[in-house]
Amino acid sequence: MMEASGGRQRAGMVRDAAGHARVSWGELSRLARAVWLVVVCTATLGAVILLSQIGGPDAMFDVSTLAYAIVPVGSGFLIIFAALSRRGPGTVAWTLIGVGVAFWGFGEVIWIFYSALLDVEVPYPGWADVFYTAAYPIIFGGV
């Protein structure tokens, strides 16, 4: 895509009333679209199953476990991607928030690895705690 030399604006980019750039679905990379679809579908399916209590306690546990891993990691990467695809005020802040959200998700993945996949007690303190606690100051730095 073409960028103007001064404003770093892509040709045909739409801006809202506040001047923020908006990117259409077609302009997103295939990876970004795939991650977005996985995050949204996982969150939607998880909400439907948990609210309707379809499948009983075991299915609800499995769905919530899967959603707790996929949604924060995917959301973190999408926030980072969105922040880095634009320039200007807020880029560093949103990148830090995205990294913090992804770190929280990595903590969930590690926790799930021990508790659900290995079926052992999660070590404390452990790597999950490193990612959980690192998420807070990183997000705070973005805010």
Side-chain angles (χ1 to χ4, degrees), residues 109-123 126-128:
V109 169
I110 294 167
W111 183 274
I112 291 165
F113 177 75
Y114 282 108
S115 65
L117 297 177
L118 295 181
D119 198 24
V120 298
E121 186 174 334
V122 180
W127 283 108

Side-chain angles (χ1 to χ4, degrees), residues 33-138:
R33 285 185 285 193
V35 171
W36 187 89
L37 284 171
V38 168
V39 168
V40 169
C41 290
T42 301
T44 303
L45 180 64
V48 167
I49 290 175
L50 292 175
L51 292 173
S52 65
Q53 298 184 359
I54 296 172
D58 289 339
M60 291 182 357
F61 175 79
D62 292 342
V63 167
S64 66
T65 299
L66 187 65
Y68 283 175
I70 291 174
V71 172
V73 171
S75 297
F77 281 115
L78 288 173
I79 294 168
I80 294 166
F81 173 77
L84 295 178
S85 67
R86 291 160 180 77
R87 301 287 181 249
T91 301
V92 172
W94 279 109
T95 302
L96 287 171
I97 291 169
V99 169
V101 170
F103 268 38
W104 184 268
F106 293 145
E108 286 291 336
V109 169
I110 294 167
W111 183 274
I112 291 165
F113 177 75
Y114 282 108
S115 65
L117 297 177
L118 295 181
D119 198 24
V120 298
E121 186 174 334
V122 180
Y124 178 79
W127 283 108
D129 301 300
V130 169
F131 283 101
Y132 285 138
T133 55
Y136 289 108
I138 293 170

